[in-house]
């Protein structure tokens, strides 16, 4: 299988997973400060007509019914966290409370150019979840997507999810 290469960041961001990752990067989302990103995803899910709940810790539970032929099958649960580790280089004046993460594509490497952490350890998983939830061409059983908060610090978001 041949690798797909993109000419520039704009072309990469046309891919739905990377589009969502780019949108996530626009919204500051360090641990304990995920409300804005949680609200963004909540409204996005509502706009798609999905069943969605947000709790007091800003965790999200999103449900998508199974497609024809998959109803009654065991549901698939996807989980990721929406907070990120916030570190920056000594010469960076990045403000994690207010500034978006600035993406840079060098060849096949997506980064911030060493200015800040990227937040991709789970940001890309959140983006995959969003792309799967919006895709109408995938045959699937009931989907349950859980996005939790504060994983990078103390797991308080995940630990507070009502099981």
């Amino acid at each position: 299988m041949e690798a797909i290469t993109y000419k520039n960041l704009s072309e990469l961001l046309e891919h739905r997973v990377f589009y969502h990752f780019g949108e996530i990067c626009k919204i500051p989302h360090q641990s304990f400060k995920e409300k804005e990103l949680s609200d963004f995803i909540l409204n996005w899910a509502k706009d798609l007509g999905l069943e969605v709940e947000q709790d007091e810790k800003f965790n999200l539970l999103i449900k998508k019914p199974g497609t024809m032929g998959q109803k009654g099958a065991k549901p698939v649960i996807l989980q990721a966290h929406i907070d990120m580790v916030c570190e920056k280089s000594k010469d960076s004046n990045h403000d994690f409370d207010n500034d978006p993460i600035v993406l840079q594509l060098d060849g096949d490497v997506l980064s911030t150019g060493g200015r800040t952490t990227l937040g991709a350890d789970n940001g890309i998983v959140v983006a995959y979840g969003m792309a799967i939830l919006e895709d109408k061409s995938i045959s699937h059983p009931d989907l349950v997507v859980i996005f939790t908060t504060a994983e990078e610090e103390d797991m308080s978001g995940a630990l507070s999810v009502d099981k």
Side-chain angles (χ1 to χ4, degrees):
M1 185 159 129
E2 190 174 323
I4 299 171
T5 57
Y6 297 92
K7 292 180 260 184
N8 55 47
L9 183 60
S10 294
E11 187 178 284
L12 175 66
L13 293 176
E14 290 176 12
H15 184 285
R16 291 309 290 176
V17 171
F18 288 102
Y19 168 80
H20 289 300
F21 184 68
E23 294 300 300
I24 290 166
C25 287
K26 291 177 183 177
I27 303 169
H29 54 280
Q30 63 184 305
S31 297
F32 309 115
K33 297 182 179 181
E34 306 98 336
K35 182 182 182 335
E36 185 178 355
L37 179 55
S38 180
D39 288 348
F40 171 80
I41 297 169
L42 173 79
N43 290 321
W44 168 87
K46 284 180 178 179
D47 288 346
L48 286 176
L50 299 172
E51 181 182 339
V52 59
E53 297 173 29
Q54 182 186 60
D55 68 17
E56 68 282 347
K57 297 270 188 182
F58 307 114
N59 296 306
L60 294 167
L61 175 72
I62 307 170
K63 295 180 181 179
K64 182 177 182 180
T67 56
M68 190 73 78
Q70 294 288 328
K71 295 186 187 291
K74 289 184 180 181
V76 171
I77 299 173
L78 306 172
Q79 187 275 326
H81 61 88
I82 63 171
D83 61 318
M84 68 174 281
V85 172
C86 296
E87 298 290 334
K88 61 184 177 180
S89 64
K90 291 182 183 186
D91 60 339
S92 173
N93 61 0
H94 187 89
D95 177 356
F96 284 103
D97 286 336
N98 298 298
D99 297 341
I101 300 298
V102 178
L103 300 174
Q104 178 177 315
L105 184 64
D106 295 313
D108 63 353
V109 176
L110 182 63
S111 73
T112 66
R115 293 179 299 274
T116 66
T117 46
L118 183 58
D121 74 325
N122 252 218
I124 199 71
V125 181
V126 173
Y128 265 103
M130 292 173 76
I132 289 167
L133 285 167
E134 75 181 3
D135 193 323
K136 293 183 169 116
S137 69
I138 299 172
S139 175
H140 60 83
D142 288 349
L143 296 177
V144 178
V145 178
I146 304 167
F147 293 141
T148 59
T149 58
E151 188 275 347
E152 297 294 357
E153 290 295 326
D154 65 4
M155 299 289 290
S156 59
L159 292 171
S160 72
V161 171
D162 182 359
K163 293 152 201 68

